[in-house]
């Protein structure tokens, strides 16, 4: 039997993408100390949009059906619109490390949703793992304590969970669109729609409030718009050109690990013993859900 080759380059791309996405919690947390959540989202989306202006002529050659437009509207409605509203509000109330932990549930939630919407196979291990991950997330939220980093962690974690629901339905929507459009276009349309969506909200939020944007906050906004949006998705898309999507999605579970480490070094956040135990429960559920499914060998005729 031929042994399957491990694509080390693809794995490196995935690790860079996960580290980049994990750092978005740190960057957004820093920006929210200066700007309101809607203003921060508008700044991030507008900077990301500028990166895609060069490709507009290429995008204009695409032909869209009514079904395509419906899925594009669903795609952008769930992410970035609702997703980033929930996440920005969540990071005002909870820590970056706990928000990162909640993201562990997204691959499992996507698998469950895909089984109903896309009729994909859902194993018992995924169901058990999902239950453990949800229980761990609830424990993590209930065991959280208010601090200077988290004024209302219970509500903040709930809002982050709502963001994961939006992310789940975003993943379902992109399954259809990715068959017809490139990942570059899908990322660009999210940035363009996000800019238009958050502009009036940012204007309303900042009306009559003096702008106090420091160079540090502007740097974080550029990091979110360019490195996280363009670089993170770019690395992930490159990895998907070399590694199967089912295997690549497992790496999403590294985001909370990287987030905790980054929050410790850059924000001074520390998980309590209870929060660490709840995190292990989440990871335990994830590991169970990712165990291989064994099938009985078919008899030769």
């Amino acid at each position: 039997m031929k042994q399957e080759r491990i694509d080390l380059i693809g794995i490196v791309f995935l690790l860079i993408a996960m580290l980049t996405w994990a750092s978005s919690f740190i960057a957004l947390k820093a920006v929210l100390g200066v700007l309101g959540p809607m203003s921060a989202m508008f700044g991030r989306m507008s900077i990301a949009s500028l990166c895609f202006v060069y490709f507009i002529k290429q995008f204009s050659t695409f032909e869209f059906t009514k079904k395509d437009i419906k899925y594009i509207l669903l795609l952008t409605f769930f992410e970035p619109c609702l997703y980033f509203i929930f996440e920005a509000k969540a990071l005002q109330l909870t820590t970056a490390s706990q928000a990162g932990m909640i993201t562990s549930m997204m691959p499992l939630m996507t698998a469950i949703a895909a089984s109903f919407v896309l009729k994909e196979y859902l194993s018992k291990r995924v169901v058990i793992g999902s239950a453990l991950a949800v229980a761990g997330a609830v424990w993590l939220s209930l065991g959280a304590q208010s601090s200077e980093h988290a004024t209302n962690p219970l509500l903040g974690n709930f809002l982050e969970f709502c963001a994961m629901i939006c992310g789940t339905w975003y993943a379902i929507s992109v399954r259809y669109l990715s068959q017809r459009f490139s990942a570059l276009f899908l990322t660009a349309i999210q940035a363009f729609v996000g800019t238009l969506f958050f502009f009036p909200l940012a204007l309303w939020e900042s009306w009559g409030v003096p702008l106090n944007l420091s160079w540090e906050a502007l740097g974080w906004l550029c990091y979110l718009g360019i490195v996280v949006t363009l670089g993170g998705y770019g690395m992930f898309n490159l990895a998907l050109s070399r590694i199967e999507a089912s295997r690549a999605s497992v790496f999403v579970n590294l985001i909370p690990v990287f987030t905790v480490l980054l929050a410790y070094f850059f924000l001074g956040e520390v998980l309590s013993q209870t929060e660490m135990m709840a995190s292990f429960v989440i990871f335990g559920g994830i590991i169970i859900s990712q165990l291989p499914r064994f099938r009985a060998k078919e008899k030769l005729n």
Side-chain angles (χ1 to χ4, degrees):
M1 181 181 293
K2 185 178 180 181
Q3 186 176 3
E4 186 177 7
R5 184 177 63 87
I6 298 176
D7 194 326
L8 293 178
I9 296 177
I11 290 175
V12 170
F13 287 156
L14 283 170
L15 291 174
I16 294 175
M18 297 307 112
L19 181 60
T20 303
W21 287 344
S23 67
S24 67
F25 292 100
I26 312 301
L28 188 55
K29 190 80 173 178
V31 171
L32 291 177
V34 178
L35 297 176
M38 300 302 102
S39 300
M41 289 301 103
F42 169 69
R44 174 180 180 174
M45 291 293 103
S46 58
I47 292 173
S49 296
L50 292 176
C51 298
F52 294 108
V53 169
Y54 174 80
F55 300 98
I56 290 180
K57 186 176 181 180
Q58 175 185 336
F59 297 154
S60 63
T61 60
F62 293 161
E63 296 182 358
F64 303 94
T65 65
K66 290 183 178 180
K67 192 172 183 180
D68 293 335
I69 295 175
K70 181 184 74 172
Y71 273 96
I72 287 174
L73 291 176
L74 287 174
L75 170 77
T76 53
F77 176 72
F78 287 118
E79 191 171 342
C81 298
L82 286 184
Y83 179 92
F84 285 131
I85 286 178
F86 285 129
E87 185 168 88
K89 288 291 185 180
L91 287 175
Q92 287 185 312
L93 302 172
T94 190
T95 62
S97 56
Q98 287 194 41
M101 286 294 174
I102 303 300
T103 63
S104 302
M105 302 171 62
M106 184 175 167
L108 305 179
M109 293 166 63
T110 302
I112 294 174
S115 69
F116 289 101
V117 180
L118 304 177
K119 307 303 179 184
E120 295 183 357
Y121 177 78
L122 181 64
S123 67
K124 292 180 179 178
R125 290 183 177 85
V126 172
V127 174
I128 296 173
S130 299
L132 277 177
V134 171
V138 172
W139 187 11
L140 179 68
S141 299
L142 294 177
Q145 300 295 325
S146 298
S147 66
E148 60 177 329
H149 297 293
T151 57
N152 193 340
L154 181 59
L155 177 59
N157 290 345
F158 172 74
L159 292 176
E160 184 65 28
F161 176 74
C162 291
M164 292 306 102
I165 294 177
C166 295
T168 296
W169 288 105
Y170 153 76
I172 298 299
S173 300
V174 83
R175 293 284 180 91
Y176 166 80
L177 292 171
S178 61
Q179 298 175 2
R180 291 178 45 80
F181 304 102
S182 67
L184 181 68
F185 168 76
L186 296 179
T187 306
I189 197 66
Q190 286 179 271
F192 292 141
V193 172
T195 301
L196 296 175
F197 177 82
F198 285 108
F199 174 68
L201 296 177
L203 194 63
W204 172 78
E205 179 183 66
S206 59
W207 188 264
V209 179
L211 182 63
N212 188 25
L213 184 62
S214 63
W215 285 107
E216 180 182 1
L218 182 60
W220 281 119
L221 278 177
C222 291
Y223 180 84
L224 284 167
I226 299 173
V227 178
V228 174
T229 303
L230 193 60
Y233 281 98
M235 288 290 104
F236 191 68
N237 294 336
L238 284 173
L240 285 178
S241 67
R242 308 174 65 97
I243 298 178
E244 295 87 348
S246 59
R247 292 170 55 196
S249 64
V250 179
F251 283 76
V252 173
N253 299 317
L254 288 174
I255 291 178
V257 179
F258 289 146
T259 304
V260 169
L261 294 175
L262 292 172
Y264 173 79
F265 285 110
F266 291 98
L267 299 181
E269 296 181 3
V270 180
L271 286 176
S272 66
Q273 184 176 3
T274 300
E275 291 168 337
M276 291 181 66
M277 292 174 64
S279 301
F280 283 126
V281 173
I282 294 176
F283 289 134
I286 291 168
I287 292 172
I288 290 175
S289 71
Q290 297 297 336
L291 290 176
R293 180 164 59 99
F294 298 99
R295 296 178 178 175
K297 293 183 178 179
E298 296 181 357
K299 294 182 179 180
L300 298 176
N301 294 326

